Amino acid sequence: MSLNLYALVASILTLLPFCGQAQTETTPYSAQGIGNLTSPALVHNLGMGGIGIAAGNGIHLNNVNPALLYRNALTSFNVAFGTEYKDLLKSGETATSFTGGLLYGAFAFPAMANRWTLSVGLMPYSTVGYRVEEDRLIEGSSQSAQLTLEGEGGISQVYFANGVRIYKNFSAGLRLSYLFGTINRDLSLLPKIVGTGQATAYVEEVFHAGVLAEGGLYYSQKIGKTSYLSAGLIYQPESEINATRNVRFESTDPLRGGGIRDTISNETGNVTIPAKFGAGIAVEKYLKYMAGVDITLHQWENFRAYQPDNQAGAGSNNGMRNGMEIAVGGEWIPDVTSVNSYLKRVTYRAGFNYKNTPFAINDRQIRDVGLSLGMSLPLSNLSSLNLAFEAGRRGTTADNLIRENYFKVNLGISFNDRWFIRRKYD
């Protein structure tokens, strides 16, 4: 590994603590549950609609199914940045948002080449970002007040994963994730009365910390002379993570300054993260083409928001419903060995993603439909610059709800090299 690459990797590692804090998405629907879940897919997977349960190779790190890690015979470091532009529409009213930040950092290396690979990384698990303002009449008065609902924060994860080839083309994997992060939600009321500016706010802060486990299986069977048919499974059991909840009232006067803060409660409890199950199939010709389908089910009806230690089972599921995701996508490399054309060595990707999200408002479950395009631009030592473009629509304007039209640009860099190999010749 060159000295320049060592220096570049070291500089990027200093940025990783900000990964869990970067706000890369904002949506009013993140007011429910623990916010909007972040896909575990890396940029090259996002260019294919997010598939990865049964699709992977030795050049690009697979973070969707840990059982596919063993195929990474090279040491790999991945870092990515993302931006999102969004139009929000509701009953003829419009608003826009633009967010961005560091998406993830991931590192993997083979403990035993083509047999056992280890991986560690840091990325968001969920994000919360919304601000809704509306005017309401004060009960028993002709005066109005501005009601503001605001939320921010989210949950990050540090994970450690193993992928082991057990027999020929059959492998298993396990990922352990430590979740941590604070979600803040504020409800404030500012009367619109001449001569006063006093605002009252209800503030809730919940800090989360706990461990999630996810297992995976993978099997590949040769079909024809050069192609393979693969199948994969992932499963995350239901888990309870620790939580500390702080609730307080705040009264402030922007016109005169000063304010009062009154803490109502500061207690410990837990949050229930529901089970997840996914299955996928893919057909591929190594370093030529690949196409696959993934289906993932989330049992969010079993979600339980914060509940005190002495009130087990008392937590609400915040109106969440079971979710489903279908992803279809593929990639194609014209000629990976071409010496005359750089464009023939580029990997081209496309995909489709449909989500029945767990968010439900006014008895209507929110859907998310998106298309994606991507590519990997080869660099030296089998490294690559990865791009993914996503465009889609979430929600609807029916029943006074909000429809989001979004466009995302994701940029990732994969550094691949051979480490821990003793040279025979200088």
Side-chain angles (χ1 to χ4, degrees), residues 139-160:
E139 187 176 351
S141 170
S142 61
Q143 300 290 339
S144 64
Q146 182 184 73
L147 179 68
T148 302
L149 300 172
E150 186 173 9
E152 62 179 2
I155 299 177
S156 301
Q157 60 175 318
V158 176
Y159 67 84
F160 174 74

Side-chain angles (χ1 to χ4, degrees), residues 121-201:
L122 171 67
M123 67 188 310
Y125 182 78
S126 72
T127 58
V128 175
Y130 63 91
R131 180 181 175 87
V132 180
E133 297 180 355
E134 62 179 57
D135 292 339
R136 291 189 179 182
L137 289 175
I138 299 176
E139 187 176 351
S141 170
S142 61
Q143 300 290 339
S144 64
Q146 182 184 73
L147 179 68
T148 302
L149 300 172
E150 186 173 9
E152 62 179 2
I155 299 177
S156 301
Q157 60 175 318
V158 176
Y159 67 84
F160 174 74
N162 283 264
V164 180
R165 180 169 62 88
I166 299 174
Y167 177 75
K168 290 185 177 180
N169 294 326
F170 176 70
S171 64
L174 176 65
R175 177 168 57 243
L176 296 176
S177 300
Y178 176 73
L179 305 185
F180 64 97
T182 301
I183 296 176
N184 301 308
R185 291 188 168 95
D186 299 357
L187 169 62
S188 63
L189 190 67
L190 176 62
K192 293 185 174 181
I193 303 175
V194 177
T196 181
Q198 184 166 316
T200 302

Side-chain angles (χ1 to χ4, degrees), residues 185 187 200-205 245-251 260-268 306:
R185 291 188 168 95
L187 169 62
T200 302
Y202 173 87
V203 181
E204 179 190 70
E205 297 176 342
R245 180 173 179 257
N246 179 280
V247 179
R248 65 180 183 271
F249 274 116
E250 295 181 354
S251 179
I260 300 173
R261 174 180 293 190
D262 183 18
T263 298
I264 302 174
S265 67
N266 189 341
E267 55 188 2
T268 61
Y306 173 83

Side-chain angles (χ1 to χ4, degrees), residues 3-16:
L3 181 60
N4 290 337
L5 188 53
Y6 270 124
L8 181 59
V9 170
S11 63
I12 293 175
L13 282 172
T14 62
L15 298 175
L16 292 187

Side-chain angles (χ1 to χ4, degrees), residues 90-405:
K90 177 184 178 182
S91 302
E93 299 180 2
T94 62
T96 62
S97 71
F98 181 81
T99 55
L102 189 63
L103 291 178
Y104 58 77
F107 176 76
F109 66 94
M112 297 175 62
N114 299 313
R115 173 71 68 174
W116 177 23
T117 296
L118 306 175
S119 177
V120 295
L122 171 67
M123 67 188 310
Y125 182 78
S126 72
T127 58
V128 175
Y130 63 91
R131 180 181 175 87
V132 180
E133 297 180 355
E134 62 179 57
D135 292 339
R136 291 189 179 182
L137 289 175
I138 299 176
E139 187 176 351
S141 170
S142 61
Q143 300 290 339
S144 64
Q146 182 184 73
L147 179 68
T148 302
L149 300 172
E150 186 173 9
E152 62 179 2
I155 299 177
S156 301
Q157 60 175 318
V158 176
Y159 67 84
F160 174 74
N162 283 264
V164 180
R165 180 169 62 88
I166 299 174
Y167 177 75
K168 290 185 177 180
N169 294 326
F170 176 70
S171 64
L174 176 65
R175 177 168 57 243
L176 296 176
S177 300
Y178 176 73
L179 305 185
F180 64 97
T182 301
I183 296 176
N184 301 308
R185 291 188 168 95
D186 299 357
L187 169 62
S188 63
L189 190 67
L190 176 62
K192 293 185 174 181
I193 303 175
V194 177
T196 181
Q198 184 166 316
T200 302
Y202 173 87
V203 181
E204 179 190 70
E205 297 176 342
V206 181
F207 175 77
H208 305 77
V211 176
L212 284 186
E214 181 174 313
L217 298 173
Y218 170 76
Y219 178 75
S220 181
Q221 177 64 49
K222 190 173 184 179
I223 55 174
K225 293 183 179 181
T226 57
S227 298
Y228 286 82
L229 179 64
S230 304
L233 297 172
I234 57 172
Y235 177 68
Q236 172 194 291
E238 182 178 299
S239 302
E240 286 189 355
I241 62 174
N242 297 325
T244 301
R245 180 173 179 257
N246 179 280
V247 179
R248 65 180 183 271
F249 274 116
E250 295 181 354
S251 179
T252 60
D253 191 335
L255 297 179
R256 299 181 177 85
I260 300 173
R261 174 180 293 190
D262 183 18
T263 298
I264 302 174
S265 67
N266 189 341
E267 55 188 2
T268 61
N270 59 75
V271 171
T272 301
I273 305 296
K276 177 181 73 173
F277 173 80
I281 58 173
V283 58
E284 69 166 318
K285 180 177 180 180
Y286 187 64
L287 296 181
K288 184 61 179 180
Y289 65 81
M290 189 279 300
V293 180
D294 288 356
I295 299 177
T296 308
L297 305 176
H298 302 264
Q299 296 180 324
W300 279 98
E301 290 184 2
N302 294 332
F303 167 77
R304 288 295 177 269
Y306 173 83
Q307 48 192 345
D309 287 329
N310 60 353
Q311 298 180 27
S316 165
N317 82 334
N318 286 170
M320 305 280 277
R321 295 185 180 180
N322 291 338
M324 178 187 69
E325 179 177 356
I326 300 175
V328 181
E331 64 181 16
W332 174 60
I333 309 175
D335 185 359
V336 72
T337 62
S338 176
V339 295
N340 298 321
S341 174
Y342 178 82
L343 293 179
K344 289 185 177 180
R345 301 199 306 273
V346 173
T347 303
Y348 302 92
R349 302 185 175 94
F352 167 81
N353 190 289
Y354 171 85
K355 297 178 183 177
N356 213 13
T357 76
F359 307 128
I361 310 293
N362 297 337
D363 202 36
R364 180 186 289 268
Q365 195 160 0
I366 305 303
R367 295 186 175 92
D368 186 332
V369 180
L371 297 173
S372 62
L373 294 173
M375 62 177 62
S376 286
L377 306 176
L379 305 174
S380 61
N381 294 329
L382 297 178
S383 299
S384 63
L385 181 67
N386 307 307
L387 292 166
F389 307 93
E390 302 175 81
R393 174 176 293 180
R394 173 191 289 161
T396 175
T397 56
D399 295 333
N400 202 33
L401 298 180
I402 297 175
R403 188 181 73 202
E404 306 173 1
N405 300 318

